[in-house]
């Protein structure tokens, strides 16, 4: 293939971004797979993400077949597996990152406009057919929602693989609670690759050039060339113009859409893939859901095959069999990382039996509503309360969005609620799953700050409450308030002899307190990966370190609403 390093892409404000272009060796016009992001297009996957490369090649060894892997880059397609199929692969370093100058301002309106111009630039090149598809994981997926709503004329297809769509609810603040992820991720993955790190950073294993260069700037100048997303999230407790600028007008999206989610992505990604799929204005749109790590199935033969059938249909007008692709394709999850691919027509599944499982004061969980009024108190910094069903007498499938209704009081003026949907085997051992960013995730997670309990009634559904996050309603110490808690969508087939449980607590879930101990891991993996909520500036102990009380009263019995799927 032919490769052009650091191709110049001029923006409307005079900034010139840099892109690497991988294209077939002929002089023909070909469809383009394009990406735009801050992780440095020249950084080797194997060097920059050693832990994840080892996990990927173990889980999907086919990655090593048919490619030298010398051009592998984090969360992007391998050109050696796409260019031979007649595609041009264009990797753009986003403004202020890698080899593109400017000021970094993640997922901003400016970045969305940049991506728009990159699409139109690629469409005008002599090697381009004029049909541009966007593909990539996470950062390279999230900005697809944004630019899709801008409707670039030559945008022909969107493959949004595990990309969030709501900057406030899915990245910055879960249920109103500050996520620690932004601060750790931004320093670890973005600032490390900021344009101007230059000689202080890594070099490309292919070209030998600094991946965050070619300039080497003084630290004071680097500091001026970045915004402060972690600080903004800390300071901005409610949805305001900063967040709204980064949110998406989904109804404006028109391009054909493949939205791919991960059951184990609690903390960042899966919610956006469901919500974006439902809200997108695209007439041709599909949802796929899988398991395993954040990256495995993007590169596996299963995932790459799905992508190639999709893009073959919409970028090449080829008969790839995509016309037979189910609108919703779910890898149904069972304990032991066993999955069964199943076709559905819609999301949530139409035949769902929405079933209330009531929490009982004696810590049981059942379809029977309790009668006795009572109150259970727990330490907010402790293990909380776990409510469990008896062992299942027959197989039970839970697939879809989950919600809980609680009546809670605090001995202070606020409370953070962390809900954990769990499964235990016949011996009483918790069953966990390989999540997108942690190898021991529970079935599902939900969060809510009690003072953010106000609902947007128009957008709320019984199975997916939607909180406005527009004002704070402090608690009166000791007085219970009604809380509707969103638990992100999930899937588990619970075998006979296993139990379903719901834990109500005041801090992050941990599997057993230990780190999973993955070599070269960039953060501890105790059950939620990097998606912790422990910043004392947002959760001062005098407010969130006290005692919370769960209340049971006639007509006010707490429950979790589960999406039960009957057998066919």
């Amino acid at each position: 293939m032919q490769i052009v390093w650091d191709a110049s892409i001029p923006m409307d404000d005079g900034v010139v971004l840099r892109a690497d272009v991988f294209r077939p060796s002929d002089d023909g016009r070909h469809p383009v797979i394009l990406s735009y992001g801050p992780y440095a297009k020249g950084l080797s996957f194997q060097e920059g993400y050693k832990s994840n490369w080892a996990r990927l090649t173990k889980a999907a060894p086919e990655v090593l077949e048919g490619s030298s892997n010398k051009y592998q880059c984090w969360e992007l397609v391998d050109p050696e597996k796409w260019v031979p199929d007649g595609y041009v692969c264009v990797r753009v370093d986003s403004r202020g990152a890698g080899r593109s100058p400017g000021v970094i301002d993640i997922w901003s309106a400016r970045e969305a406009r940049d991506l728009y111009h990159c699409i139109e630039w690629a469409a005008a090149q002599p090697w381009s057919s004029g049909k541009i598809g966007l593909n990539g994981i996470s950062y390279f997926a999230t900005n697809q929602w944004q630019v899709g709503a801008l409707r670039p004329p030559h945008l022909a297809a969107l493959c949004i693989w595990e990309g969030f769509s709501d900057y406030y609810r899915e990245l910055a603040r879960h249920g109103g609670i500050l996520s620690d992820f932004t601060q750790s991720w931004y320093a670890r993955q973005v600032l490390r690759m900021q344009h101007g790190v230059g000689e202080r950073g890594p070099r490309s294993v292919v070209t030998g050039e600094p991946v965050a260069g070619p300039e080497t700037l003084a630290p004071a100048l680097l500091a001026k060339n970045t915004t402060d997303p972690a600080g903004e999230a800390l300071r901005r407790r409610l949805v305001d113009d900063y967040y709204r600028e980064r949110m998406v007008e989904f109804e404006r999206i028109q391009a054909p859409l493949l939205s791919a989610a991960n059951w184990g992505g609690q903390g960042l990604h899966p919610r956006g893939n469901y919500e974006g799929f439902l809200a997108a204005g695209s007439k041709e749109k599909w949802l796929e859901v899988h398991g395993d790590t954040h990256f495995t199935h993007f590169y596996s033969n299963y995932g790459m095959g799905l992508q190639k059938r999709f893009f073959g249909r919409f970028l090449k007008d080829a008969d790839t069999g995509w016309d037979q692709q189910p609108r919703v394709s779910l890898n149904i999850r069972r304990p032991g990382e066993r999955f069964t691919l199943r076709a559905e027509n819609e999301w949530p599944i139409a035949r769902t039996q929405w079933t209330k499982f009531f929490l009982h004061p004696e810590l049981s969980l059942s379809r029977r509503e309790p009668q006795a009024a009572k109150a259970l108190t727990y330490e907010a910094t402790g293990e909380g309360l776990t409510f469990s069903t008896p062992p299942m007498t027959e197989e039970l499938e839970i697939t879809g969005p989950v919600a809980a209704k609680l009546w809670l009081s605090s001995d202070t003026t606020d409370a953070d609620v962390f809900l954990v949907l769990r499964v235990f085997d016949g011996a009483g051992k918790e069953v966990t799953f390989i999540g997108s960013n942690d190898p021991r995730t529970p079935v599902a997670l939900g969060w809510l700050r009690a003072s953010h309990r106000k609902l947007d009634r128009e957008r709320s559904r019984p199975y997916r409450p939607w909180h406005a996050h527009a004002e704070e309603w402090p608690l009166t110490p000791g007085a219970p308030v009604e809380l509707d808690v969103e638990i992100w969508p999930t899937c588990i087939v619970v075998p006979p002899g296993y139990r379903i449980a719901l834990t109500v607590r005041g801090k992050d879930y941990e599997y057993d307190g230990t780190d999973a101990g993955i070599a070269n891991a960039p953060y501890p993996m105790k059950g939620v990966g990097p998606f912790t909520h422990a910043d004392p500036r947002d959760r001062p102990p005098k407010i969130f370190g006290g005692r919370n009380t769960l209340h049971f009263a006639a007509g006010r019995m707490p429950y979790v609403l589960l999406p039960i799927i009957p057998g066919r």
Side-chain angles (χ1 to χ4, degrees):
M1 58 188 173
Q2 304 179 63
I3 306 173
V4 175
W5 308 110
D6 285 343
S8 299
I9 308 180
M11 297 294 103
D12 57 339
D13 63 352
V15 169
V16 176
L17 305 184
R18 301 295 179 182
D20 292 343
V21 179
F22 304 81
R23 62 186 180 90
S25 55
D26 60 45
D27 293 325
R29 293 178 177 271
H30 302 279
V32 178
I33 304 293
L34 187 142
S35 60
Y36 171 105
Y39 298 151
K41 59 184 174 56
L43 181 64
S44 160
F45 190 153
Q46 297 91 320
E47 292 297 316
Y49 299 86
K50 293 180 180 179
S51 167
N52 292 331
W53 179 254
R55 295 179 71 192
L56 169 62
T57 53
K58 182 178 180 180
E62 63 264 33
V63 169
L64 300 174
E65 301 169 1
S67 173
S68 71
N69 289 291
K70 66 189 293 185
Y71 306 110
Q72 287 281 15
C73 193
W74 173 243
E75 299 186 331
L76 299 176
V77 300
D78 178 1
E80 289 187 85
K81 292 195 174 184
W82 285 78
V83 173
D85 285 355
Y87 292 97
V88 177
C89 295
V90 176
R91 296 171 170 173
V92 185
D93 275 340
S94 59
R95 181 180 294 244
R99 294 177 69 86
S100 292
V103 176
I104 302 176
D105 192 4
I106 58 171
W107 292 298
S108 62
R110 176 66 260 179
E111 279 205 342
R113 290 196 300 274
D114 284 351
L115 182 48
Y116 180 109
H117 292 306
C118 290
I119 291 167
E120 294 307 299
W121 172 87
Q125 300 310 300
W127 37 256
S128 173
S129 70
K131 288 193 173 184
I132 314 300
L134 301 183
N135 197 11
I137 314 174
S138 191
Y139 202 104
F140 306 101
T142 294
N143 56 21
Q144 293 185 48
W145 297 116
Q146 296 174 305
V147 77
L150 299 181
R151 299 180 182 174
H154 292 91
L155 177 60
L158 300 164
C159 179
I160 302 179
W161 202 277
E162 299 190 36
F164 75 81
S165 66
D166 188 316
Y167 193 101
Y168 182 94
R169 294 170 179 83
E170 297 160 24
L171 173 73
R173 288 182 167 271
H174 299 134
I177 308 168
L178 180 72
S179 171
D180 302 329
F181 173 75
T182 304
Q183 182 169 11
S184 64
W185 159 79
Y186 194 68
R188 181 178 67 248
Q189 287 187 244
V190 179
L191 292 183
R192 191 166 66 98
M193 295 297 121
Q194 184 179 2
H195 180 79
V197 168
E199 297 292 344
R200 294 189 295 270
R203 290 179 174 270
S204 165
V205 297
V206 180
T207 68
E209 294 293 319
V211 301
E215 301 171 286
T216 302
L217 303 178
L221 186 53
L222 287 177
K224 290 181 179 179
N225 286 343
T226 176
T227 53
D228 180 22
E232 298 287 7
L234 173 64
R235 292 186 289 271
R236 298 174 184 273
R237 299 162 61 92
L238 300 172
V239 173
D240 61 10
D241 288 344
Y242 175 84
Y243 295 114
R244 281 189 284 269
E245 181 193 80
R246 288 159 169 77
M247 292 181 183
V248 178
E249 295 181 74
F250 292 103
E251 65 279 1
R252 288 187 48 81
I253 298 174
Q254 293 180 330
L257 164 66
L258 170 59
S259 178
N262 187 326
W263 298 122
Q266 300 107 336
L268 186 60
H269 288 306
R271 182 184 185 276
N273 282 103
Y274 304 111
E275 294 293 335
F277 165 75
L278 291 170
S282 306
K283 293 181 180 179
E284 298 177 289
K285 57 182 178 179
W286 291 264
L287 175 68
E288 184 274 346
V289 194
H290 51 269
D292 215 287
T293 70
H294 183 46
F295 39 84
T296 298
H297 282 306
F298 181 79
Y299 294 95
S300 73
N301 284 349
Y302 163 77
M304 186 173 63
L306 191 74
Q307 296 161 41
K308 285 190 173 183
R309 286 192 292 115
F310 173 70
F311 283 119
R313 166 67 181 82
F314 292 105
L315 298 189
K316 294 182 174 182
D317 294 322
D319 182 5
T320 63
W322 190 259
D323 291 343
Q324 283 74 52
Q325 176 71 15
R327 289 292 171 178
V328 175
S329 182
L330 308 178
N331 285 277
I332 301 302
R333 183 169 67 174
R334 287 176 166 79
E337 304 299 333
R338 294 183 297 118
F339 295 88
T340 304
L341 187 61
R342 190 174 75 202
E344 296 289 349
N345 296 316
E346 68 287 303
W347 180 268
I349 299 170
R351 65 183 184 282
T352 301
Q353 296 175 351
W354 301 101
T355 306
K356 293 179 181 178
F357 278 68
F358 290 93
L359 285 60
H360 288 247
E362 71 278 12
L363 301 183
S364 65
L365 187 65
S366 79
R367 304 184 195 204
R368 176 180 55 84
E369 188 170 358
Q371 301 301 315
K374 198 169 181 179
L376 297 179
T377 299
Y378 62 93
E379 298 289 338
T381 56
E383 296 304 306
L385 304 169
T386 297
F387 301 83
S388 175
T389 66
M392 295 288 108
T393 57
E394 57 185 19
E395 189 174 83
L396 183 72
E397 179 183 336
I398 299 168
T399 300
V402 181
K405 173 87 74 173
L406 307 176
W407 283 267
L408 192 89
S409 66
S410 168
D411 59 6
T412 71
T413 57
D414 212 341
D416 283 346
V417 176
F418 295 75
L419 297 186
V420 190
L421 189 63
R422 311 164 78 179
V423 167
F424 293 83
D425 67 16
K429 181 177 175 60
E430 184 174 8
V431 179
T432 59
F433 303 88
I434 296 175
S436 64
N437 295 83
D438 194 295
R440 301 178 300 178
T441 60
V443 176
L445 295 167
W447 311 263
L448 181 63
R449 177 157 289 174
S451 60
H452 286 235
R453 63 191 178 276
K454 181 181 180 180
L455 293 172
D456 181 326
R457 298 291 179 182
E458 289 188 6
R459 302 190 71 171
S460 289
R461 302 290 180 269
Y463 54 80
R464 200 269 287 116
W466 189 283
H467 296 91
H469 300 295
E471 56 185 305
E472 294 178 298
W473 292 351
L475 306 185
T476 300
V481 294
E482 181 178 352
L483 304 179
D484 293 277
V485 186
E486 176 185 9
I487 300 175
W488 287 10
T490 190
C491 172
I492 179 61
V493 178
V494 186
Y498 284 50
R499 294 178 293 121
I500 303 167
L502 182 76
T503 297
V504 182
R505 43 194 284 147
K507 65 176 184 178
D508 286 307
Y509 165 86
E510 290 186 359
Y511 173 62
D512 62 4
T514 64
D515 188 343
I518 292 177
N520 300 306
Y523 44 78
M525 297 186 182
K526 298 183 177 183
V528 295
F531 307 113
T532 56
H533 308 78
D535 193 323
R537 296 171 298 174
D538 182 69
R539 304 188 67 220
K542 66 179 182 179
I543 300 296
F544 299 100
R547 292 162 63 87
N548 300 334
T549 300
L550 189 62
H551 295 262
F552 302 76
R556 293 188 171 187
M557 294 298 180
Y559 63 84
V560 57
L561 184 67
L562 296 180
I564 305 301
I565 309 300
R568 283 173 166 169

